Amino acid sequence: MSTSTEAAAKPTIPAGEFSVDPVHSTVGFAVTHNEISTFRSAFKSYEARLVGGESPRLEGTVDVESIDVADEMLKGHLLSPEFFDAERHPKLRFASTALDVAADGTVRLAGELEIRGSKREVRAEGRFAELGEDAQGQARVGLSLGATVDRRDFGLEWQAELPGGGQLLDWTVKIEVELELVAADG
């Protein structure tokens, strides 16, 4: 009996298709720099689509050239073949293979992430929230997700040694995604 009660209380992503609201969403990353601080950046241009219902799924793309970095030389280096190789690989891609929402709204997500043409299975955790209707009468949901990847798995192997020992950039990168999604019209 408790199993059916838990199933009834478990939040589900409403059936239908939801598109990202880019004004209220972010797709970013964080990496340790100089072994002492965290460098954070985000991308300005991306798309995401969430399909709800019995078998929910999330997919999206990011325009690599939209990386938000104040220093043009650093941005050029990140877009170069030493990092993202934006000319040959202009998009990052993600497609979920499993998306589960627990009774408390906790999300477990698995899927395939593609960076620089390298595809790897990644797992993310976070939370799901359903607003219902917004001020304009459209259904909205939110997904907050975090994952950790080793950038070498995606061919991002550039590194510099620090004069006193150690490495300029950590190999571990935290991916941080905050999505507010709006029900598609129709």
Side-chain angles (χ1 to χ4, degrees):
M1 185 169 185
S2 66
T3 304
S4 63
T5 304
E6 289 173 12
K10 181 178 173 180
T12 59
I13 298 172
E17 188 173 316
F18 295 82
S19 298
V20 71
D21 171 355
V23 174
H24 299 103
S25 301
T26 57
V27 175
F29 63 91
V31 62
T32 302
H33 181 259
N34 281 330
E35 297 187 345
I36 58 168
S37 66
T38 301
F39 172 77
R40 294 181 189 280
S41 187
F43 296 91
K44 294 179 181 179
S45 179
Y46 50 86
E47 295 179 4
R49 184 174 73 102
L50 174 66
V51 176
E54 294 283 321
S55 300
R57 64 186 187 279
L58 176 68
E59 53 190 44
T61 60
V62 171
D63 295 323
V64 175
E65 289 199 14
S66 75
I67 193 167
D68 189 14
V69 179
D71 183 287
E72 286 302 314
M73 287 183 61
L74 176 56
K75 182 174 181 173
H77 189 216
L78 292 174
L79 296 176
S80 79
E82 287 187 317
F83 273 95
F84 288 110
D85 197 2
E87 188 173 317
R88 289 183 44 214
H89 305 284
K91 299 230 186 246
L92 310 177
R93 300 179 192 286
F94 177 80
S96 68
T97 54
L99 195 164
D100 183 58
V101 181
D104 65 355
T106 300
V107 171
R108 286 206 164 87
L109 175 74
E112 186 176 74
L113 177 62
E114 179 182 347
I115 301 175
R116 284 182 54 115
S118 295
K119 297 177 183 179
R120 297 286 185 269
E121 182 78 14
V122 296
R123 297 191 181 281
E125 293 186 357
R127 61 182 169 71
F128 167 78
E130 181 179 2
L131 171 66
E133 289 187 1
D134 63 15
Q136 289 77 36
Q138 294 180 299
R140 283 189 182 253
V141 298
L143 277 173
S144 177
L145 299 165
T148 302
V149 298
D150 186 323
R151 62 188 176 91
R152 294 172 289 192
D153 290 342
F154 299 95
L156 300 170
E157 297 183 10
W158 182 88
Q159 187 62 273
E161 298 297 319
L162 295 171
Q167 298 177 323
L168 183 65
L169 290 176
D170 197 347
W171 296 114
T172 302
V173 177
K174 294 179 183 173
I175 298 170
E176 303 164 336
V177 178
E178 298 287 336
L179 299 176
E180 190 167 315
L181 302 119
V182 183
D185 293 325

